[in-house]
Amino acid sequence: MQIGMIGLGRMGANMTRRLTNGGHQCVVFDRDRQTVDALAKDGSIAAYSLGELVEKLSVPRAVWIMLPSGAPTEETVLTLAKLLQSDDAIIDGGNSFYKDDVRRSAMLKPSGIHYLDAGTSGGVWGLERGYCLMIGGDQSSAQRLDPIFATLAPGPGNIPKTPERQGTNSTAELGYLYCGPSGAGHFVKMIHNGIEYGLMQAYAEGFDILRGANSDNLPAGLSYDLNLADIAELWRRGSVVSSWLLDLTATALASDRQLDGYTGFVEDSGEGRWTIQAALEEGVSAEVLSVALYTRFRSRQEHSFAEKILSAMRKGFGGHVERPPAVKMKKGL
């Protein structure tokens, strides 16, 4: 099957390679000409403008956008709207806000251009492992593009089937799923990423407590010099908290036991905020996900003025005096 791919960053380039390896023909465009040329050497068809990409695709066309959410995706969709024709399809595989999907789909509907939102999880490992795809939008277009989704997805692998799901007719076991009308795919991916924030925060806090077990402030006989790299490796095997995130943690600790290569400044890409916004709109409690998001905000600053206010109030009402600047830690983990 033929498809256009716009945006050849870490994920877009590997998705293109996976599709090419799977027998599909990819017409590729990126502002970085060298990236386009590199993929052309791997079997893709190079295009050096959006217009050229559209010209090289056969009708009905399918164009996958793999760009940052917001202005880059919006501008690309608006440009493609002028170049494509009825029955062509745009697939947004980035992390767009699901309400933008609903708006764009409605905008394109009068021209007959179909708009699909495809939440894509897999990161830089997707070329090897495959990509988990959460798809929303026009169902007939999703069915037409099923070969594309099936190639990008990881497939059943060696994961055993869930009990009681025997005989179900769903692509979920293959790693991709049509979730519903416009916005549904990115809505599911948004919540996926919100959960990811919470899981990551739980691991981060747990390992921080393990590291703190070596504190000089603990009573004699109750401090432990724990090997975090070994514990992470241990938990990968048979533990109920084993996961791919733990695998990544174990890898990081094995190569950098003190994590000196990191500052602790943690970004967020938007989905965590949108998840909390959705929870507010639905009236659903989301304490863990909210704290995980705010902790990321907190990671980007030294002690804030707000914390000074808290300290001042604590001294005012209870005479609480601040501890020394930092709790001393013994060397090692």
Side-chain angles (χ1 to χ4, degrees), residues 310-323:
L310 288 172
S311 185
M313 286 189 288
R314 291 185 77 248
K315 184 177 182 181
F317 67 69
H320 302 291
V321 179
E322 289 184 339
R323 287 179 177 269

Side-chain angles (χ1 to χ4, degrees), residues 228-248:
L228 268 62
D230 277 356
I231 292 171
E233 187 64 27
L234 169 70
W235 285 352
R236 293 181 63 220
R237 305 172 189 282
S239 165
V240 297
V241 299
S242 61
S243 73
W244 187 30
L245 291 173
L246 182 62
D247 293 347
L248 298 175

Side-chain angles (χ1 to χ4, degrees), residues 65-87:
I65 301 173
M66 207 65 195
L67 295 171
S69 62
T73 295
E74 182 77 12
E75 293 167 4
T76 302
V77 170
L78 292 175
T79 301
L80 288 173
K82 300 174 183 177
L83 298 171
L84 298 175
Q85 62 189 46
S86 181
D87 285 334

Side-chain angles (χ1 to χ4, degrees), residues 49 72 122 129 141 173 181 191 198 205 209 237 239 242 257 272 274-275 294 304 324:
S49 69
R129 294 167 58 104
S141 296
E173 293 172 353
I191 304 305
E205 292 178 8
I209 296 168
R237 305 172 189 282
S239 165
S242 61
R257 289 168 56 89
W274 299 336
T275 296
Y294 287 126
S304 67

